[in-house]
Structures are given as structure tokens and as C-alpha cells.
Amino acid sequence: MTDTDRGTQRDRDSAFYLFTQQNLPACKPVLTPEWVFMTFLFIGFIFIPVGLVTLRASHSVVEIVERYDIGCVPEPFRINKVSYIQDDSIPKNCSFSFKVPKYMKAPIYIYYQLDNYYQNHRRYVKSRSDKQLLHGQNQHGISSCQPVEVNNDRPIIPCGLIAWSLFNDTFTFIRNRAELKVNRKNIAWKSDREHKFGKNVYPFNFQNGTLIGGGKLNPRIPLSDQEDLIVWMRTSALPSFRKLYGRIEKDLDVDDVVVVHLMNNYNTYSFGGKKKLVLSTTSWLGGKNDFLGLAYVFIGSSSVTIAVVFTLLHLLSQRH
């Protein structure tokens, strides 16, 4: 045998060759009808109980949703809501009440919900400077913040359309003539506060132009402590979204009447948007969302149905 033949033989005996040619010893299970039935039944018996438990956890969450953007516009201005929201001489204060349908255990999370608001628009998402948010005005290269990067030849901190359009409606809650305190600390992600917004970066030249977008920022508080801004800057991927406003750390009993005093400052009327106030408790699974539980139940039920169909087909037309 020549050296060439020996080399060829070694190559054929190598693990790589045996693997690529599928000559390695392997387990090759034979899928008999009984194995198929049992597999689908096992999947069904596991997924259906998990789905039911998940749905029960979701249904245990108490959620109150109140739309207020229409009701908070005075009757004479409902024909032209844009002129109402843009006229600073018209008071924007508004009040409404709701009754608690079920016992709500603290903490009760307060969200504001915006509909038909496309935070995922490419130009909107790119209009920010992460370096400036972390390091301040010493950072150059804020061209990505266009068209809100400078005002009167001075940089804007924070720059960009996202910060410029900061949500600025405010809410106060009254129960039994006593104010329910709203905890607005730790509403933003800890990683955002510590690693994305500078502790020595302060708002500068913000909302000082002729066209005011949304809320203003306290120039004496660093960006790392401006949690409203931090929550708002984490843009949503969908046109309907909720953002955390604060927490009520007292229980609400059944049939409690809560009065909400709010300032209807934020303009969603120009683009047909909707504004809602949401109060919600949580479960071990999080907030109210039936999708995960329904998905588990659907997959489990489908598996059981397939197992039954395969069993009937096997019994009615057996292969001899």
C-alpha cells in the first residue's frame, strides 16, 4: 500500500469523515404510532395546565383604564381641539372620578397610555445623542439630534425630538378627601439611571425655543434623577404603549371612589392620538396579559386534538 493510499484510508477513518458520511453510531428512534400518540398527549397535558394557571394569574390582576383626552376638553372647544391645547390662556385643569371594582392591593402602578403615537418612526428614534446624555455638552457630534440640536447657537441638553416631546400631563389622586401620595422614585430601569444618563449632566437651554414640544426639565436636577425623562426616552416599538408614571403604595378597597385631578397639557389632538390613565395591580407573572396563557392552552389543545385524530386514523385503518 502506497503512502497515498494510507493517507486516504486515514482520512476515511477520521471522525469528521464518518460524521459527514453519517457512518457514526447514532440513536435512530423509530416513531411508531404509539410513540406519536403519547408524545402529543404529553405535550397537551403539560401545556394546558400551565396555560390555565397563567390565565388565572392574569385574571387576578385588577386594572382600571380611563380615557380622558376627549372629556377634558371644554365643550366649546371640542370642534377644534388643537386650538384649545395650543392656547396657553385656556386652563388645562380637569377632574373625573372612578369607582374601584375590586380590592386592589398595593403597590398600585399608575401608567399613562398613548394610542396612535408612533415612537418607532425612524427619524424620531434617531433624534437623540446617547453620548450627550451620559457626558454632557462637552460632547460634539449632536447632528443626530436634528432638528432639535441647538437654539440661539447654544447646544440643547438633552437634544433631539424624543426629549423635546416629553409627556407632561400630571395627575393627583384623592380618596375620601385625602390625597393619595404617588411614589415617583425608581420608575425607570436601574441600568438606564446608572449607565445611560449622567449624574453630572444637567438640562441646559431646554424648551427655550419658539416652538415648545412637551414637558420642561428642572435645570438643577441631573439627568440621572429625571426619571420621567428616562422612562420617556425608552421608545416603544408599537403605536399603542404604556409608560410608568408612579406607584400608589396604599390599598384600595371595593367601591372606593377616587377623584383624579389632572393637567391636560400634552398635545395628541394634532395627530388623532388618544390618552388614557391606567391603574393596575400585578401578579407573580406581571401585569394583565392573556396572550401567554391562551397560547399555552391553544398549543396544548391542538396537541391533544392531533393525538385523538391520529389514534382514530390508526384504529380505523391499521397497516397490516
Side-chain angles (χ1 to χ4, degrees):
M1 181 179 293
T2 62
D3 294 339
T4 304
D5 295 336
R6 292 193 184 93
T8 303
Q9 185 65 33
R10 282 197 301 270
D11 291 340
R12 291 182 176 178
D13 292 338
S14 65
F16 179 76
Y17 179 83
L18 294 174
F19 175 75
T20 56
Q21 298 301 313
Q22 294 295 298
N23 291 328
L24 287 173
C27 178
K28 298 179 180 178
V30 178
L31 293 178
T32 62
E34 290 77 12
W35 270 105
V36 174
F37 306 152
M38 295 303 297
T39 301
F40 277 110
L41 285 176
F42 177 77
I43 294 173
F45 291 154
I46 294 296
F47 273 57
I48 290 176
V50 171
L52 294 176
V53 171
T54 304
L55 282 175
R56 183 176 181 182
S58 176
H59 291 168
S60 69
V61 174
V62 183
E63 186 175 276
I64 301 172
V65 181
E66 294 286 341
R67 181 180 177 183
Y68 65 89
D69 57 301
I70 300 298
C72 284
V73 178
E75 192 70 35
F77 295 96
R78 292 191 179 178
I79 300 176
N80 191 350
K81 303 181 185 66
V82 176
S83 63
Y84 154 76
I85 200 69
Q86 292 179 346
D87 191 343
D88 294 335
S89 64
I90 303 175
K92 301 299 190 297
N93 57 302
C94 174
S95 298
F96 66 88
S97 63
F98 61 85
K99 183 178 289 188
V100 179
K102 295 181 180 179
Y103 171 74
M104 301 181 73
K105 182 175 177 59
I108 301 167
Y109 294 89
I110 306 168
Y111 302 89
Y112 55 88
Q113 178 175 326
L114 299 178
D115 296 334
N116 197 36
Y117 194 118
Y118 289 83
Q119 274 197 318
N120 59 352
H121 192 284
R122 180 173 178 270
R123 188 175 183 185
Y124 184 88
V125 171
K126 291 183 63 178
S127 185
R128 62 184 292 166
S129 173
D130 291 326
K131 290 183 178 179
Q132 186 205 61
L133 293 172
L134 186 59
H135 301 293
Q137 61 182 333
N138 294 328
Q139 292 296 317
H140 301 287
I142 58 173
S143 59
S144 61
C145 289
Q146 292 181 353
V148 191
E149 71 274 22
V150 294
N151 181 38
N152 295 328
D153 297 326
R154 296 184 299 173
I156 299 173
I157 302 177
C159 66
L161 285 171
I162 306 177
W164 177 80
S165 60
L166 175 64
F167 185 82
N168 60 338
D169 285 2
T170 58
F171 308 96
T172 304
F173 300 88
I174 308 294
R175 181 185 63 172
N176 298 330
R177 298 183 179 180
E179 181 177 348
L180 291 169
K181 292 185 178 180
V182 178
N183 184 359
R184 307 204 62 197
K185 294 291 186 181
N186 299 322
I187 60 174
W189 291 14
K190 183 178 179 181
S191 58
D192 287 354
R193 298 196 307 266
E194 295 182 353
H195 304 295
K196 292 188 176 182
F197 292 80
K199 296 181 180 179
N200 297 314
V201 181
Y202 294 83
F204 176 76
N205 198 26
F206 185 71
Q207 301 286 27
N208 289 335
T210 56
L211 186 62
I212 305 300
K216 296 186 177 182
L217 298 174
N218 190 335
R220 299 179 181 178
I221 300 178
L223 295 185
S224 60
D225 294 336
Q226 306 260 12
E227 296 199 42
D228 279 343
L229 173 69
I230 298 173
V231 171
W232 181 256
M233 294 290 287
R234 183 167 283 278
T235 55
S236 173
L238 300 175
S240 295
F241 57 86
R242 296 177 180 179
K243 292 185 182 290
L244 185 60
Y245 180 83
R247 295 183 301 274
I248 296 175
E249 296 180 338
K250 288 186 177 180
D251 297 347
L252 295 179
D253 295 322
V254 181
D255 294 333
D256 274 355
V257 177
V258 178
V259 179
V260 182
H261 299 300
L262 64 91
M263 294 299 294
N264 185 27
N265 298 316
Y266 200 70
N267 182 10
T268 58
Y269 306 106
S270 299
F271 53 88
K274 301 176 183 178
K275 295 191 291 186
K276 298 176 183 178
L277 176 66
V278 181
L279 274 70
S280 176
T281 60
T282 58
S283 66
W284 59 269
L285 197 60
K288 189 177 186 65
N289 192 338
D290 293 343
F291 174 78
L292 185 61
L294 292 174
Y296 271 107
V297 172
F298 175 76
I299 294 173
S301 302
S302 300
S303 298
V304 172
T305 302
I306 293 172
V308 172
V309 171
F310 280 4
T311 303
L312 293 176
L313 291 175
H314 177 65
L315 294 176
L316 295 176
S317 57
Q318 295 188 14
R319 295 174 62 185
H320 301 287

